[in-house]
């Protein structure tokens, strides 16, 4: 019997492991080349894994929720026998033993186009023996011909509900067609488990603590924060009257040149930052250590603008590539797409590295200001506080104005205090009077601040 063992591939960017979130196939399923067989979660994103070959799923080597190291077996396929797709005629249609039909891919999206089209075939589940063996929990289970336990049949929605309720599908006897586990089966099991496990839950609560494994994005974020601590960081703050900017945003809502694109405060601040950066090269330069204790400062050709996004899986910082080449409306559209994709867990790994600097909008949580922490490898991060109406001096009188606080943290090896302070002051000036952006470009502006008094 010809088989092929598919090992977890290298998903790129130095990732060494992934957690199986959901299987899209079960033991006994016939699959096509490049058909999605599983959804896995790396430390950065959710990734769909395509099948490297056509065949029948013989063994699933991991359960949903299990972490698998790169290079470990994930699926074994049967390349011959009942249910296996017939190879297309031709000199290149034969498939040899595992490893002989091409090198193992190292990135998602690999492989040739499927030779067949249409819905993949599904092998009929074998009838359950009249006297099945009983598992230790008293629930009957069925073994495949090679002795491996078959995964309970259910839909992705039902499996998601079971994970949410903490129910092991292996403990449920399905009442659907061919023994398929239904939503009602999970609901019934959930109600029963709540009654049986109540004493145990109380005992755990009485212990005063609970423990949750650190995985996925949370683990990656923690590692990044530890790495960030290696850089000497300094922060400066500035509170600004942004009434003029808010009035501009209100006008842009109905302006024909906006093309119907919704432009947010974040997009406006980001565009102002990008307009200022050519005059502040230190804010786009990064420190790079070299062998032998040497170092160099590297400045990229374009600005990959990182945006901190809070998701259900934790904080991620995807970037907009070459954001400095985009107009205000183009940047606004890119930010909308970036946040939508990140919250869906679909950000690609390459968009989560190689950022130039980052903006985090803590104002959406009703926070006035904060001290942001550098994203490792970046020279600066800007925090935008909430825009709120406050008493403020305006034209010699106290009036209610739209005010926000900007917080800039920078790598003090690359950015001097004077450079960070000048950048933040100019950003505040542009947000206080957006027309000043017309003065940007060309040679760097020369300030009047006495450099001897700079921090």
């Amino acid at each position: 019997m010809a088989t092929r063992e598919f090992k977890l591939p290298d998903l790129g960017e130095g990732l060494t492991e992934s957690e199986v979130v959901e299987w899209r196939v079960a033991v006994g399923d016939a699959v096509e080349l490049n058909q999605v067989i599983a959804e896995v979660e790396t430390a950065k994103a959710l990734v769909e894994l395509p099948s490297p070959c056509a065949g029948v799923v013989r063994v699933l080597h991991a359960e949903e929720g299990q972490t698998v190291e790169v290079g470990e077996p994930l699926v074994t396929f049967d390349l011959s026998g009942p249910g296996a797709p017939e190879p297309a005629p031709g000199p290149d249609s034969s498939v040899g033993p595992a490893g002989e039909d091409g090198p193992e891919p190292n990135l998602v999206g690999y492989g040739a186009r499927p030779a067949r089209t249409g819905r993949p075939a599904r092998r009929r589940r074998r009838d359950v023996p009249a006297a099945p063996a009983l598992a230790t929990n008293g629930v009957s289970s069925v073994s495949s011909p090679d002795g491996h336990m078959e995964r309970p049949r259910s839909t992705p929605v039902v499996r998601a509900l079971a994970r949410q309720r903490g129910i092991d599908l292996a403990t449920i006897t399905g009442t659907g067609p061919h023994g398929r586990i239904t939503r009602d089966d999970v609901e019934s099991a959930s109600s029963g488990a709540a009654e049986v496990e109540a004493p145990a839950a109380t005992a755990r609560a009485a212990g005063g603590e609970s423990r949750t494994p650190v995985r996925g994005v949370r683990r990656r974020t923690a590692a990044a924060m530890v790495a960030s601590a290696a850089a000497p960081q300094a922060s400066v703050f500035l509170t600004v009257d942004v009434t003029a900017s808010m009035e501009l945003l209100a006008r842009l809502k109905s302006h024909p040149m906006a093309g119907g694109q919704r432009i947010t405060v974040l997009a406006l601040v980001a565009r102002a930052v990008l307009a200022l950066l050519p005059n502040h090269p230190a804010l786009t330069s990064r420190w790079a250590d070299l062998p032998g204790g040497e170092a160099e400062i590297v400045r990229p050709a374009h600005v990959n603008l990182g945006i901190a996004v809070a998701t259900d899986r934790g904080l991620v910082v995807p970037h907009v590539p070459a954001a400095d080449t985009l107009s205000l409306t183009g940047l606004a559209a890119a930010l909308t797409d970036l946040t939508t994709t990140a919250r869906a867990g679909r950000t690609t790994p390459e968009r989560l590295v190689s950022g130039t600097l980052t903006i985090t909008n803590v104002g959406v949580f009703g926070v006035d200001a904060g001290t942001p922490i550098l994203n490792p490898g970046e020279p600066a991060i800007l925090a935008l506080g909430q825009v709120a109406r406050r008493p403020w001096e305006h034209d010699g009188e106290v009036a209610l104005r739209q005010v926000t606080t900007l917080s800039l943290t920078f790598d003090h090896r690359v950015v001097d205090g004077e450079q960070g302070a000048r950048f933040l002051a100019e950003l505040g000036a542009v947000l206080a009077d957006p027309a000043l952006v017309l003065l940007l470009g060309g040679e760097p502006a020369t300030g009047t601040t006495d450099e001897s008094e700079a921090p």
Side-chain angles (χ1 to χ4, degrees), residues 166-179:
I167 300 297
D168 183 358
L169 291 180
T171 65
I172 300 178
T173 300
T175 60
H178 306 295

Side-chain angles (χ1 to χ4, degrees), residues 242-255 258 263-265 268 402:
V242 293
T243 304
S245 285
M246 300 308 294
E247 292 172 347
L248 172 62
L249 289 177
R251 293 197 301 273
L252 290 178
K253 285 183 179 180
S254 58
H255 199 286
I263 301 175
T264 64
V265 176
L268 184 65
Q402 301 271 57

Side-chain angles (χ1 to χ4, degrees), residues 25-414:
V25 295
V27 171
D29 286 356
V31 299
E32 299 277 2
L33 172 68
N34 287 337
Q35 176 184 336
V36 175
I37 58 175
E39 187 177 66
V40 299
E41 180 181 30
T42 71
K44 299 180 178 181
L46 291 174
V47 178
E48 292 182 335
L49 284 181
S51 173
C53 62
V56 174
V57 178
R58 183 183 181 191
V59 183
L60 299 179
H61 294 280
E63 298 291 333
E64 291 179 351
Q66 180 177 337
T67 298
V68 181
E69 298 286 336
V70 170
E72 288 185 352
L74 197 62
V75 184
T76 296
F77 296 98
D78 181 3
L79 304 182
S80 62
E86 293 294 333
D92 297 325
S93 61
S94 60
V95 181
E100 293 185 6
D101 55 336
E104 197 73 78
N106 67 338
L107 288 176
V108 176
Y110 54 83
R113 292 183 178 273
R116 297 167 53 189
T117 59
R119 186 177 181 85
R122 186 182 183 96
R123 188 173 68 180
R124 183 182 179 87
R125 185 178 177 89
R126 294 180 179 85
D127 292 334
V128 179
L134 290 180
T136 56
N137 55 15
V139 178
S140 61
S141 57
V142 182
S143 299
S144 60
D146 58 4
H148 291 276
M149 301 303 296
E150 290 196 11
R151 176 171 171 268
R153 291 190 181 275
S154 59
T155 65
V157 173
V158 171
R159 292 196 292 273
L161 177 63
R163 286 197 301 272
Q164 179 183 350
R165 301 293 177 86
I167 300 297
D168 183 358
L169 291 180
T171 65
I172 300 178
T173 300
T175 60
H178 306 295
R180 183 182 296 274
I181 298 173
T182 66
R183 183 183 184 92
D184 289 340
D185 295 332
V186 175
E187 294 282 3
S188 298
S190 178
S191 299
E195 297 177 1
V196 174
E197 295 179 4
T202 302
R204 286 195 298 271
E209 67 177 23
S210 63
R211 301 192 179 206
T212 303
V214 179
R215 297 173 179 164
V217 172
R218 177 59 56 192
R219 183 174 178 178
R220 176 75 180 184
T221 300
M225 293 303 95
V226 171
S228 176
Q233 304 181 31
S235 299
V236 288
F237 306 86
L238 180 65
T239 301
V240 185
D241 178 355
V242 293
T243 304
S245 285
M246 300 308 294
E247 292 172 347
L248 172 62
L249 289 177
R251 293 197 301 273
L252 290 178
K253 285 183 179 180
S254 58
H255 199 286
M257 293 186 67
Q261 176 64 49
R262 178 174 178 266
I263 301 175
T264 64
V265 176
L266 175 61
L268 184 65
V269 172
R271 191 67 198 88
V273 167
L274 293 166
L276 284 165
L277 285 176
N279 291 342
H280 299 271
L283 272 295
T284 58
S285 304
R286 70 177 187 274
W287 182 275
D289 289 310
L290 300 175
E294 298 296 322
E296 62 184 7
I297 294 177
V298 181
R299 186 186 179 197
H302 291 287
V303 178
N304 295 335
L305 183 64
I307 301 294
V309 182
T311 73
D312 293 339
R313 301 166 55 244
L315 181 69
V316 294
V317 187
H319 69 257
V320 177
D324 52 320
T325 64
L326 300 177
S327 65
L328 176 58
T329 54
L331 182 61
L335 293 181
T336 298
D337 178 69
L338 175 146
T339 54
T340 301
T341 302
R343 286 170 181 154
R346 302 297 179 188
T347 305
T348 55
E350 63 270 17
R351 293 285 291 272
L352 291 162
V353 295
S354 303
T356 306
L357 81 164
T358 293
I359 298 177
T360 177
N361 185 7
V362 298
V364 296
F365 306 110
V367 174
D368 293 330
T371 306
I373 299 176
L374 289 176
N375 204 21
E378 297 181 8
I381 178 171
L382 176 75
L384 171 65
Q386 68 171 331
V387 178
R389 289 173 62 84
R390 298 176 184 170
W392 198 260
E393 190 276 330
H394 177 68
D395 289 341
E397 298 181 354
V398 176
L400 282 177
R401 305 287 290 176
Q402 301 271 57
V403 176
T404 190
T405 298
L406 307 172
S407 310
L408 179 71
T409 295
F410 49 88
D411 184 343
H412 220 319
R413 297 172 301 178
V414 180

